[in-house]
Amino acid sequence: MNADPAAQRRLLDLADTDAELDRTAHRRRTLAELAEIAGLEAQLRARRDAVIAADTLISDLDRDSRRLETEIEAVRAREDRDRNLLKQGVGARQVSDLEHELDTLQRRQAALEDDLLELMERRENADADAAKAREALAATEAQLADATGRRDAAFTELDDLVRRRTADRAALTAELPADLLTLYDRIRAQKGTGAALLRSRRCGACRLELDRSALVKLRDAAPDAVLRCEECGVVLIRTPQSGL
């Protein structure tokens, strides 16, 4: 294949543009904010679960407290009934039974009140834990919002760069012969780079110094001949800096 040397040199500009587009795409995929956001999202799920667990515990404690309060009220009502019976005057056997029952009810009430006090203390601790869980959740939400904002700002910057470089690429490809561009694109798809400068007898793509026989072929080739690196296959662009 032959192509005007000036057109071949424009392949270097195209290769630089494509390399920058590749670097931009890589940077978009590997932004530090992406890993940070993933970590914060996992942390956010855990902290939401912690809030739910804290609220569930409080709900359970409240339910148990209401049950104990109901039992205490029932015991007190039974005590009042027994005391009223004693005041009304009953037989000696009933008095003994009522007094025994009152003693049992008092012990039961004391035990229930102790349980209720313990639940109230647990409820107080649960409230404190729930408040801490909500604070932690709010902090993580704020961190996630900040990281998301930084990611979006970086995306906007990178997307703008891609738009500009894509426009540059379109302008460059419009000036290139179709067969030369097709060759360049095919090599780039296979190798990652389509063209490179031959500088000081070294390929700019694979960085290897060409052997003497390859250099002789390059030197003796016509100026418009499209030549490729024998090592990596990219189009080699010859200039006065090539050392031929």
Side-chain angles (χ1 to χ4, degrees):
M1 180 188 295
N2 296 320
D4 185 270
Q8 294 189 49
R9 286 192 294 273
R10 281 197 291 276
L11 285 181
L12 294 176
D13 295 331
L14 181 58
D16 287 342
T17 299
D18 284 337
E20 186 168 10
L21 284 168
D22 289 343
R23 289 192 300 271
T24 302
H26 177 74
R27 186 183 169 199
R28 201 180 200 281
R29 292 191 303 270
T30 58
L31 277 175
E33 287 81 4
L34 296 177
E36 182 182 358
I37 287 170
L40 287 169
E41 286 175 339
Q43 190 178 95
L44 190 66
R45 289 191 293 272
R47 291 190 166 167
R48 282 174 176 161
D49 289 344
V51 169
I52 291 171
D55 288 343
T56 301
L57 176 58
I58 288 172
S59 178
D60 291 343
L61 291 171
D62 286 344
R63 184 194 63 234
D64 291 344
S65 295
R66 288 192 298 271
R67 177 181 55 79
L68 286 175
E69 289 169 351
T70 300
E71 288 188 45
I72 290 171
E73 288 301 319
V75 169
R76 287 174 178 168
R78 186 65 177 267
E79 283 185 278
D80 290 342
R81 184 187 69 86
D82 288 352
R83 293 187 192 283
N84 287 331
L85 287 173
L86 285 173
K87 289 178 182 179
Q88 292 171 9
V90 293
R93 183 176 179 79
Q94 276 190 293
V95 168
S96 176
D97 290 343
L98 288 170
E99 287 177 345
H100 176 72
E101 185 173 275
L102 283 169
D103 183 58
T104 300
L105 290 171
Q106 286 170 357
R107 288 197 302 272
R108 176 61 177 161
Q109 181 176 333
L112 290 171
E113 288 175 344
D114 286 343
D115 289 345
L116 182 58
L117 180 60
E118 181 185 350
L119 281 178
M120 292 171 65
E121 291 174 351
R122 290 177 60 192
R123 176 65 155 80
E124 185 177 346
N125 292 334
D127 281 341
D129 290 342
K132 289 179 182 177
R134 284 187 170 79
E135 288 175 6
L137 175 60
T140 301
E141 287 174 337
Q143 291 173 331
L144 180 58
D146 176 69
T148 300
R150 285 185 278 113
R151 178 205 62 188
D152 291 346
F155 276 178
T156 297
E157 179 183 345
L158 293 171
D159 290 345
D160 181 63
L161 179 58
V162 167
R163 281 192 294 272
R164 286 187 281 113
R165 290 297 173 264
T166 300
D168 293 342
R169 190 182 199 282
L172 285 167
T173 56
E175 300 174 355
L176 293 171
D179 56 350
L180 181 62
L181 179 60
T182 297
L183 175 64
Y184 167 88
D185 284 337
R186 185 175 72 248
I187 297 171
R188 179 171 178 266
Q190 296 171 347
K191 308 292 185 179
T193 301
L197 176 66
L198 176 63
R199 184 195 297 271
S200 301
R201 305 178 181 180
R202 191 179 297 273
C203 171
C206 63
R207 307 296 181 184
L208 295 177
E209 185 172 346
L210 277 63
D211 61 31
R212 184 179 299 276
S213 61
L215 291 171
V216 169
K217 292 179 183 178
L218 292 170
R219 184 190 62 204
D220 294 343
D224 64 348
V226 177
L227 305 175
R228 298 174 63 178
C229 173
E230 291 186 354
E231 297 295 337
C232 66
V234 304
V235 175
L236 279 177
I237 309 302
R238 294 165 291 166
T239 71
Q241 300 173 330
S242 297
L244 299 175

